[in-house]
Amino acid sequence: MKKLAFLLILLACPRWAMCAAAPEKIPILLDTDIGSDIDDAFALALVLNSPELDLLGVTTVSGNAEARARLAAKMLEDAGRLDVPVAAGASGQPLPIQQCRLAEGFKGPSLLPIAAEDFLESEIKRRPGEITIVAIGPLTNVAVLLKKYPDAAKEIKQIVLMGGSVERGYAPGSRPEAEYNIKMDPAAAQVVFASGVPIVMAPLDVTAMLQLDAAARHRVFTQLTPVTNDLTLLYHLWNNETPTLFDPMAAALLLDPSLCETKPMAIEVDNEGFTREASGKPANATVALHTDPARFFQFYLNRVAPAKTTTEP
């Protein structure tokens, strides 16, 4: 009887090993202020090296958003991902964007002539309830989306963001402070945290200690892939020594939530950009509070710069 059942399976699917459905990829939209600090580029590198993710598009925010869009599009093209569209949000006050020199004059088919919020809405509407927004810059684009298209809040699966400060600030042992992404547009953050969209939050508590040391940088920069070659060039344009990988933690949390200890919390944003727990209110965010940096870097490097094995001649 067992043999008969097995034969029926073979007849139904000659390549029986392929019959098992492959795990579905996680559809994401990445919203980034790539081009100022270096960590956005490192986050994009992680996304591009994570086969579990289905990157549907990239939107850029803050400062010269169009220059940032060109940089993101160039990195995607270098990685062979011409299928990923890029849309710029509204530009704000001028900001340092030295890394965008890498993509000066860049033109590519992936650059869209529509506003970031319109692109986000079209993708969310196309796959309601499925898409995660990974927001690693100021929350301006996401807030504009939610205000312009109120129904979108019910159709976004979740927002995974890098931002905020709950129990510590940038320095070890420091008190909570207004973190950059939230401080750049507190009003936008207030809209997002009040939207009802499920939020996963990677604050300074689990990101400010993620310094990429010299040995790890060497491992990345000697990988010599198109993505790591771009990281090498961007690192030199950034012109600082030690990157802190704030933003990659947001993508890493989506891929492996066990990298951080998390807690449901009711987070409120004040007008100065502080993110504080509100007592007596229902939780609106899952907040990462503790991590093991060594485990994070093992996870990150194994994907972006896997150790090379040598064979005896």
Side-chain angles (χ1 to χ4, degrees), residues 70-136:
R70 288 192 292 271
L71 177 55
K74 185 181 188 310
M75 280 193 71
L76 288 164
E77 181 171 301
D78 290 346
R81 294 300 306 274
L82 286 168
D83 60 305
V84 180
V86 181
S91 292
Q93 61 179 316
L95 293 167
I97 51 171
Q98 287 301 310
Q99 295 168 66
C100 290
R101 289 168 53 199
L102 184 66
E104 279 183 358
F106 177 82
K107 296 179 181 179
S110 61
L111 286 166
L112 300 180
I114 64 172
E117 68 273 13
D118 296 330
F119 169 70
L120 291 170
E121 191 270 343
S122 67
E123 289 297 303
I124 291 162
K125 192 173 182 179
R126 190 167 62 87
R127 300 179 66 171
E130 297 181 22
I131 293 175
T132 294
I133 295 177
V134 180
I136 56 175

Side-chain angles (χ1 to χ4, degrees), residues 16-303:
W16 63 273
M18 301 293 289
C19 282
E24 287 190 16
K25 292 188 174 186
I26 303 168
I28 70 166
L29 293 163
L30 180 69
D31 187 64
T32 174
D33 59 343
I34 191 170
S36 291
D37 203 351
I38 190 74
D39 55 327
D40 292 80
F42 277 88
L44 179 54
L46 176 59
V47 169
L48 291 172
N49 283 278
S50 295
E52 307 96 321
L53 300 180
D54 181 9
L55 181 59
L56 303 178
V58 175
T59 52
T60 56
V61 64
S62 183
N64 189 336
E66 291 186 356
R68 298 184 194 279
R70 288 192 292 271
L71 177 55
K74 185 181 188 310
M75 280 193 71
L76 288 164
E77 181 171 301
D78 290 346
R81 294 300 306 274
L82 286 168
D83 60 305
V84 180
V86 181
S91 292
Q93 61 179 316
L95 293 167
I97 51 171
Q98 287 301 310
Q99 295 168 66
C100 290
R101 289 168 53 199
L102 184 66
E104 279 183 358
F106 177 82
K107 296 179 181 179
S110 61
L111 286 166
L112 300 180
I114 64 172
E117 68 273 13
D118 296 330
F119 169 70
L120 291 170
E121 191 270 343
S122 67
E123 289 297 303
I124 291 162
K125 192 173 182 179
R126 190 167 62 87
R127 300 179 66 171
E130 297 181 22
I131 293 175
T132 294
I133 295 177
V134 180
I136 56 175
L139 292 168
T140 309
N141 285 343
V142 183
V144 172
L145 164 72
L146 293 169
K147 288 190 289 185
K148 188 173 180 179
Y149 302 102
D151 290 342
K154 294 176 284 191
E155 297 177 336
I156 301 168
K157 181 176 182 180
Q158 63 180 343
I159 297 169
V160 180
L161 64 90
M162 188 278 130
S165 167
V166 179
E167 295 179 353
R168 64 159 280 176
Y170 284 95
S174 60
R175 296 176 61 82
E177 55 191 295
E179 180 273 330
Y180 177 86
N181 285 343
I182 305 298
K183 185 178 180 179
M184 285 295 291
D185 195 343
Q190 290 167 354
V191 169
V192 172
F193 277 87
S195 68
V197 179
I199 292 171
V200 178
M201 175 179 170
L204 296 179
D205 306 62
V206 294
T207 60
M209 72 292 295
L210 302 178
Q211 282 78 40
L212 190 72
D213 64 23
R217 295 197 299 273
H218 178 78
R219 177 170 164 179
V220 172
F221 299 153
T222 57
Q223 196 72 200
L224 302 180
T225 67
V227 171
T228 59
N229 287 345
D230 279 345
L231 290 179
T232 304
L233 293 169
L234 292 172
Y235 173 78
H236 289 291
L237 289 170
W238 180 59
N239 198 30
N240 291 280
E241 184 175 0
T242 304
T244 301
L245 301 194
F246 301 99
D247 292 339
M249 179 57 91
L253 258 180
L254 180 60
L255 290 159
D256 185 357
S258 73
L259 287 169
C260 294
E261 297 176 20
T262 62
K263 177 184 175 183
M265 300 177 75
I267 296 294
E268 290 185 341
V269 182
D270 71 15
N271 292 333
E272 295 179 350
F274 283 83
T275 49
R276 296 189 174 96
E277 183 177 16
S279 59
K281 293 188 176 182
N284 61 355
T286 300
V287 183
L289 295 174
H290 303 285
T291 192
D292 177 0
R295 185 167 170 233
F296 165 81
F297 280 115
Q298 181 182 38
F299 174 87
Y300 183 88
L301 293 170
N302 282 346
R303 287 173 178 251

